[in-house]
Amino acid sequence: MTPDQYCHNKAAPGGSSLYYSIRSLPAAQRDAITALHAFCREVNDVIDECSDSGVARMKFGWWRTEIANLFDGVPQHPVARALAAAVPRFHITAPRLTAIIDGVEADLDCDRYPDFDALARYCYHVDGAVTVLSAEIAGYRDAATLDYAAELGIALRLTAIIRDVGKDARRGRIYLPQDELARFGVTERDILELRESERFTRLMQFQIERTVARYQQAAAALPPIDRKTQRAGLAMAAIQRALLDEIAADGCHVLTQRTVLTPLRKLWIAWQTRIRD
């Protein structure tokens, strides 16, 4: 298996949102974005798979060393080897990759957020940095496109948080802002014990409405001159907005089920986005 095939299997297998979002890009950009997302997936797996924080920190340390190896020309991991081709062509730097590790590693020290501003900062460090890099790989002519990409990254992470409330609760994590739980009369215990209620449904409807607004803000920030080169991000946004619509239509049962879109629906949404842009 080649490094590129490894990254494809890790981050963009057939039927995934990323697969349909980037399939219309030129091969070089497609491979670079896939490698970048595979790197992010590997780093996020450390949090998902390690119950011991000491072991997790050792793995994050290993990835920092591997990033140094990448820029020294001796990468070992297939993801780092795949990134090696993208680094000089798309001006990917070591500090920007290690910043992604730093953002994910913050999960070891913080699993509660007092308000939305704190949550939005976390979302930027975890996903915003990735979408900005992806936007640069795809290409842009107006610097305002990077503001669009940062806003898109926040919206994408908020979508994942909404989708995974139950999954995160089973790991003792609550990403929903604490002040908003109090405003809607939902307790931490309600979430950790997976108790649905009308109050919880209203809380999630609020989360969904705000996240949809963030997608709208991102779209408004994208300069028309770069819409064609940024079609992968636009397709991803359309797919994830459709996921939010599905969660809302299904009654916001995110504590007890994980809503997904079918591959055919993702394909249709991505195609519709391409022909519009």
Side-chain angles (χ1 to χ4, degrees):
M1 181 184 297
T2 69
D4 284 338
Q5 289 171 333
Y6 179 93
C7 291
H8 175 86
N9 292 342
K10 184 73 178 179
S16 67
S17 297
L18 183 63
Y19 172 80
Y20 291 121
S21 298
I22 66 174
R23 63 182 302 184
S24 67
L25 291 178
Q29 282 97 331
R30 187 171 63 245
D31 289 345
I33 289 175
T34 301
L36 175 63
H37 279 260
F39 166 70
C40 296
R41 185 65 59 84
E42 292 284 351
V43 172
N44 275 280
D45 283 351
V46 174
I47 290 292
D48 291 340
E49 297 172 1
C50 292
S51 56
D52 186 312
S53 62
V55 173
R57 291 187 195 281
M58 288 178 58
K59 289 191 174 185
F60 285 129
W62 185 92
W63 272 108
R64 290 189 177 89
T65 300
E66 182 64 354
I67 295 305
N69 290 339
L70 166 62
F71 285 87
D72 286 340
V74 288
Q76 302 174 30
H77 195 280
V79 167
R81 289 163 57 198
L83 280 170
V87 161
R89 180 165 185 170
F90 299 109
H91 311 294
I92 298 171
T93 65
R96 297 178 81 176
L97 293 177
T98 53
I100 294 170
I101 299 175
D102 293 343
V104 176
E105 189 174 15
D107 267 351
L108 295 177
D109 301 311
C110 181
D111 56 14
R112 301 289 191 277
Y113 293 87
D115 52 37
F116 182 72
D117 287 344
L119 179 61
R121 287 192 293 272
Y122 163 77
C123 291
Y124 172 76
H125 288 301
V126 175
D127 269 13
V130 179
T131 49
V132 169
L133 267 175
S134 296
E136 292 181 342
I137 291 169
Y140 68 95
R141 297 168 66 182
D142 189 324
T145 294
L146 301 184
D147 296 329
Y148 143 81
E151 189 68 29
L152 174 62
I154 293 172
L156 291 173
R157 175 53 58 169
L158 290 173
T159 302
I161 288 170
I162 291 168
R163 179 196 63 201
D164 292 339
V165 171
K167 173 186 172 184
D168 291 328
R170 292 178 183 89
R171 296 162 52 216
R173 297 183 175 276
I174 300 174
Y175 291 93
L176 303 176
Q178 297 288 295
D179 62 343
E180 293 172 6
L181 294 182
R183 187 192 317 167
F184 285 89
V186 177
T187 68
E188 283 197 11
R189 189 165 184 176
D190 290 334
I191 293 178
L192 295 174
E193 295 182 0
L194 311 179
R195 292 200 297 254
E196 293 187 340
S197 65
E198 290 185 10
R199 295 188 300 274
F200 176 78
T201 300
R202 289 195 296 271
L203 169 67
M204 297 315 301
Q205 288 170 339
F206 172 77
Q207 304 297 318
I208 290 171
E209 289 168 4
R210 179 172 55 202
T211 304
V212 168
R214 300 296 291 220
Y215 280 117
Q216 293 169 340
Q217 291 171 22
L222 176 59
I225 195 172
D226 287 332
R227 288 191 68 84
K228 185 175 181 180
T229 58
Q230 297 300 317
R231 59 190 181 272
L234 291 169
M236 178 64 78
I239 291 170
Q240 296 307 305
R241 281 194 60 175
L243 176 63
L244 290 176
D245 290 342
E246 192 71 21
I247 291 172
D250 198 38
C252 299
H253 297 296
V254 290
L255 284 174
T256 55
Q257 63 190 43
R258 191 174 188 268
T259 302
V260 297
L261 301 180
T262 65
L264 182 60
R265 187 170 178 191
K266 293 175 187 176
L267 172 62
W268 173 254
I269 294 169
W271 180 77
Q272 287 286 96
T273 303
R274 284 198 296 272
I275 64 174
R276 283 198 305 268
D277 296 301

